[in-house]
Amino acid sequence: MRIEQELKLGFKDVLFRPKRSTLKSRSQVNLTRDFTFKHSGRQWSGVPVIAANMDSVATFDMAAALAEHNVMTAVHKHYSVDDWKTFIDGADSKTLNNVMVSTGTSESDFKKTQDIMAMTDEIIFICVDIANGYSEHLVEYVTKVRAAFPDKVISAGNVVTGDMVEELILAGADIVKVGIGPGSVCTTRVKTGVGYPQLSAIIECADAAHGLGGRIIGDGGCACAGDVSKAFGGGADFVMLGGMLAGHEESGGETVEKEGKTFMKFYGMSSESAMAKHSGGVAKYRAAEGKTVLIPFRGSVHETISDILGGVRSTCTYVGAARLKELTKRTTFIRVQEQENNVYGKE
Ligand code: 5GP
């Protein structure tokens, strides 16, 4: 047994130190990033926020709505090939350009990804996603997907340490997805005791990925726009959001009426709800590692995403970053033991 003594940080442990700046207004801040990806050589330009591949978040409707803001959606993996065909036939180029096709690592997942990618050249992202990215099986699968799709942008995860980021990039991933345990409906830390505070995971994994010309997605744990900024400040190239985008018209959750108010069901992809819906229940050998919650219905996602991006722009003005790309260079985090003042309750 070993103990690492260095304290690892979550979003709640830091704040940005403000810096002198010549920026007068948040309208002067450009959140668009231009990436050329390591293996595929593909280019993408947009606002690097991604709706998480959960079936009560990342629907086709969400993809169309967020694309209007140049924001991406990792469409969940439970649509059929026929559903994809209908979507692709009706979607504009901008939407398709901002979509990731999510997949697990089974033979049938591979076949399905092939079928979907064969329908259009306009989708360039594949998101290979398993809860425990430390499995050798993921590395082998990424190698196989890279060989089959040499010119597609491949994201793989989830992991939280630099060694595994490097291994996945060397196996063919352009982007590595980072986060184990921080999610709003995740119970992995309670059920297994495994995890890594998300800000430290981002800082360490970004360093490892950038050294090899790869990119990372900070996935999970953002509860407010300030957290999204902190993820970017820590070095995340992309930030993935589940809970912050759940509960909207476009999220595809089931609505529930309770005491005259409308709520929407939101659940983890390893929760009992998700397993009952997609795999006929929780298998005997495993425990559910996600929970189901009801969140107040929030209407259309447009206002929410504008609010989030407005917050990130504002962070940039406080630290003097004219472009999102500069945010991490302009970031000094201070360690804190307080966040917001809740004397009148939470936002
Ligand atoms: P959020 O933005 O809601 O904090 O986190 C979203 C992320 O939580 C997802 O992208 C995914 O990585 C993770 N996640 C989603 N469902 C589950 C689950 O059932 N169990 C665990 N451990 N993580 C989940």
Side-chain angles (χ1 to χ4, degrees):
M1 197 279 295
R2 266 187 66 213
I3 299 183
E4 279 185 32
Q5 295 292 353
E6 190 196 341
L7 184 68
K8 303 293 178 184
L9 304 172
F11 298 128
K12 67 170 191 356
D13 299 316
V14 302
L15 289 166
F16 284 93
R17 181 190 191 110
K19 293 205 166 118
R20 267 202 3 247
S21 154
T22 53
L23 294 167
K24 287 204 192 80
S25 136
R26 48 169 110 169
S27 65
Q28 289 173 279
V29 175
N30 183 358
L31 294 186
T32 301
R33 293 220 44 191
D34 304 299
F35 293 116
T36 303
F37 295 99
K38 177 183 169 86
H39 293 287
S40 56
R42 295 298 283 255
Q43 294 181 328
W44 177 85
S45 177
V47 178
V49 170
I50 311 174
N53 44 331
M54 305 171 73
D55 62 3
S56 40
V57 178
T59 61
F60 290 137
D61 285 346
M62 184 63 81
L66 292 182
E68 291 180 35
H69 303 262
N70 295 317
V71 165
M72 297 181 73
T73 300
V75 172
H76 69 72
K77 67 175 187 181
H78 299 292
Y79 284 118
S80 68
V81 174
D82 283 345
D83 295 334
W84 272 99
K85 173 136 189 49
T86 312
F87 168 68
I88 288 169
D89 288 347
D92 55 20
S93 296
K94 190 171 175 183
T95 303
L96 295 179
N97 193 243
N98 286 300
V99 155
M100 292 179 137
V101 175
S102 307
T103 172
T105 56
S106 71
E107 237 349 277
S108 66
D109 288 327
F110 186 76
K111 171 83 178 59
K112 188 168 157 190
T113 306
Q114 280 183 314
D115 291 347
I116 298 166
M117 299 314 277
M119 288 180 207
T120 174
D121 287 334
E122 289 188 286
I123 297 182
I124 64 167
F125 290 95
I126 299 172
C127 179
V128 182
D129 195 21
I130 57 175
N132 175 6
Y134 285 77
S135 153
E136 261 308 302
H137 176 60
L138 176 64
V139 178
E140 287 157 18
Y141 193 80
V142 167
T143 310
K144 178 170 154 181
V145 177
R146 172 52 68 213
F149 303 101
D151 63 346
K152 298 293 177 188
V153 183
I154 298 170
S155 155
N158 278 20
V159 300
V160 284
T161 51
D163 53 341
M164 206 59 203
V165 168
E166 287 168 358
E167 184 155 355
L168 288 168
I169 291 174
L170 294 173
D174 296 293
I175 310 174
V176 176
K177 197 144 77 70
V178 173
I180 294 183
S184 58
V185 281
C186 165
T187 55
T188 295
R189 290 179 184 175
V190 187
K191 288 284 168 76
T192 69
V194 177
Y196 214 96
Q198 184 67 354
L199 182 64
S200 285
I202 288 173
I203 293 169
E204 294 169 27
C205 291
D207 193 45
H210 296 163
L212 289 175
R215 301 287 172 186
I216 68 153
I217 301 172
D219 173 22
C222 291
C224 56
D227 292 345
V228 179
S229 297
K230 289 172 189 175
F232 282 126
D237 301 289
F238 296 84
V239 178
M240 182 169 263
L241 305 176
M244 287 182 74
L245 299 177
H248 295 92
E249 259 162 43
E250 297 85 351
S251 314
E254 182 190 325
T255 53
V256 178
E257 298 294 327
K258 227 171 133 185
E259 291 155 14
K261 295 202 183 92
T262 308
F263 294 83
M264 197 175 257
K265 246 190 198 176
F266 174 49
Y267 48 84
M269 295 317 293
S270 309
S271 64
E272 266 185 63
S273 301
M275 288 195 259
K277 189 163 171 193
H278 302 296
S279 340
V282 182
K284 277 208 187 69
Y285 59 87
R286 63 181 294 183
E289 284 176 30
K291 58 187 165 193
T292 304
V293 296
L294 288 181
I295 46 185
F297 181 63
R298 294 193 263 175
S300 163
V301 78
H302 289 286
E303 200 179 314
T304 302
I305 192 71
S306 299
D307 234 41
I308 296 170
L309 301 184
V312 177
R313 273 196 197 91
S314 197
T315 310
C316 290
T317 59
Y318 273 110
V319 302
R323 295 183 301 152
L324 182 58
K325 185 173 189 230
E326 292 163 19
L327 178 57
T328 185
K329 285 180 221 144
R330 308 273 312 179
T331 294
T332 302
F333 285 128
I334 48 169
R335 293 236 346 245
V336 297
Q337 292 191 317
E338 62 174 32
Q339 286 280 325
E340 80 276 33
N341 183 335
N342 284 329
V343 72
Y344 295 118
K346 276 193 175 282
E347 252 269 271

